[in-house]
Amino acid sequence: MEDVALLAGVSAMTVSRVLNSPDKVRPETRARVLAAMRELDYRPNSAARVLVTGRSQVLGVVSFDTTLYGPASTLYGIERAARGAEHMVSIASVSSLTRRSIQDAVERLRSQSVDGIVVIAPHRSAADGLRGLPPDFPAVVVGAGDDLPVPAAAVDHRAGAERVTRHLLSLGHETVRHVAGPIDWIDASERVAGWRAALEAEGRPVPEPLPGDWSARSGYEQGRLLAADPEVTAVFAANDPMALGLLRALREAGRRVPEEVSVAGFDDVPEAPYFAPPLTSVRQPFGEVGRHAFQLLMERIAGAEGAPRRTVEPELVVRESTAVMNAR
């Protein structure tokens, strides 16, 4: 740091301010110091910073070990929000969200001197583990239920499911069939609740939801059953991969989409516009969820109390897989 100060023509204290409180340093001075750092290939000593400031500017994330689009995109949204605020992220993946696995992951991260932790918890089984989080350590949860004693950020899955179901009903369909996600996933149960609420609000029949497991294969298997029923004219799949399998099953059975059956999904994966036909889906604002989770954690680290919950609304993206019935 003294070498940087000498090259930049400033004091070592000014170099420290550039690193820790850059907004308190004049832009021209800050630029000179940063140029000296680049020339000398200077990197702050993170261990020394922790000793001096008590903060590492590293956040921990406990993530369910999955490549599913939703949890993976949530993780990326948190990492992007942290990076934008010049924080780093350390990830601890767990194969199951039990009390023991969450506690072990939290302890691994705490041993790395993280300032706080975000837990991505899409399973109901995570609730017990989340209640066991250390009360004196800053923590935030993403995607869990409403009754937890920690701040939370989440997408309003129920509202998204209601929106897409109302869209399908507005096209003239008598009712909407639903291929649901796994029952132990909070997202899946909230999407079922939103689908059912929309049907009940319109006084429409509420058929039994069909079970899926988020995979295209399960969508295909349930799609074969739905394709054999001529009364089926609209289907809402709880995620886009299941909608993809459903589209294939309908096509193999000779049921045209959207001429005979309208199909909608959830998540709006990057491939959704390239399905055949392009898929109507509910887009989740993962970046906004990540920002909320990061802000809540920063507030917790700064000493805020309570367990606020910030919920963001998803967006319905209408494409060619849904159509008005009387246009068939």
Side-chain angles (χ1 to χ4, degrees):
M1 188 179 290
E2 290 178 354
D3 293 338
V4 170
L6 182 62
L7 181 60
V10 298
S11 68
M13 182 61 71
T14 298
V15 177
S16 178
R17 288 197 186 99
V18 169
L19 292 171
N20 299 302
S21 304
D23 57 318
K24 296 181 180 179
V25 182
R26 290 185 301 175
E28 58 271 23
T29 302
R30 186 167 65 243
R32 198 161 68 247
V33 170
L34 293 174
M37 289 179 180
R38 288 192 295 270
E39 183 174 340
L40 295 174
D41 196 26
Y42 171 80
R43 297 291 184 276
N45 186 311
S46 58
R49 171 179 284 172
V50 174
L51 289 173
V52 173
T53 68
R55 301 282 175 81
S56 64
Q57 288 190 282
V58 178
L59 307 180
V61 178
V62 178
S63 175
F64 181 56
D65 186 12
T66 179
T67 57
L68 286 170
Y69 179 73
S73 297
T74 300
L75 175 59
Y76 176 68
I78 295 168
E79 195 277 334
R80 186 172 55 184
R83 186 173 66 244
E86 299 183 349
H87 281 66
M88 297 180 65
V89 169
S90 181
I91 301 168
S93 295
V94 295
S95 57
S96 61
L97 290 168
T98 63
R99 186 184 186 96
R100 178 62 180 272
S101 66
I102 292 176
Q103 288 178 344
D104 288 347
V106 168
E107 288 308 310
R108 291 203 308 272
L109 292 168
R110 292 187 73 178
S111 71
Q112 299 172 29
S113 300
V114 299
D115 293 334
I117 290 175
V118 179
V119 182
I120 301 174
H123 285 187
R124 293 198 178 281
S125 60
D128 185 47
L130 293 169
R131 291 190 179 92
L133 289 173
D136 60 340
F137 192 72
V140 168
V141 64
V142 173
D146 298 327
D147 58 345
L148 294 171
V150 292
V155 172
D156 193 337
H157 297 278
R158 176 172 176 142
E162 285 189 56
R163 191 164 295 141
V164 69
T165 304
R166 288 198 304 268
H167 163 69
L168 290 165
L169 294 176
S170 74
L171 299 175
H173 300 282
E174 174 62 19
T175 190
V176 178
R177 301 300 300 269
H178 182 49
V179 180
I183 59 173
D184 60 332
W185 281 67
I186 296 170
D187 300 358
S189 62
E190 289 185 352
R191 292 171 197 178
V192 169
W195 160 79
R196 179 176 286 115
L199 294 178
E200 291 176 346
E202 296 291 331
R204 305 299 180 88
V206 183
E208 191 69 21
L210 300 174
D213 62 9
W214 298 132
S215 71
R217 177 191 53 78
S218 67
Y220 175 78
E221 291 173 352
Q222 298 297 358
R224 293 178 66 184
L225 298 176
L226 293 168
D229 184 352
E231 298 298 315
V232 172
T233 65
V235 186
F236 162 42
N239 78 340
D240 291 349
M242 291 196 299
L244 177 62
L246 175 64
L247 288 172
R248 175 169 177 173
L250 291 169
R251 184 168 59 251
E252 288 181 355
R255 301 289 301 276
R256 295 175 300 160
V257 177
E259 291 83 1
E260 296 178 58
V261 183
S262 284
V263 174
F266 205 108
D267 284 341
D268 194 36
V269 299
E271 298 82 7
Y274 304 99
F275 285 10
L279 183 67
T280 291
S281 187
V282 178
R283 177 179 297 162
Q284 297 198 62
F286 294 110
E288 192 172 350
V289 173
R291 286 192 298 274
H292 280 307
F294 177 77
Q295 290 165 1
L296 284 168
L297 188 55
M298 290 298 99
E299 292 169 8
R300 197 73 162 184
I301 291 170
E305 298 181 353
R309 181 177 178 85
R310 295 182 186 170
T311 304
V312 296
E313 293 283 330
E315 174 190 359
L316 176 63
V317 181
V318 178
R319 299 192 181 94
E320 290 89 334
S321 67
T322 55
V324 176
M325 278 203 66
N326 59 20
R328 298 162 189 262

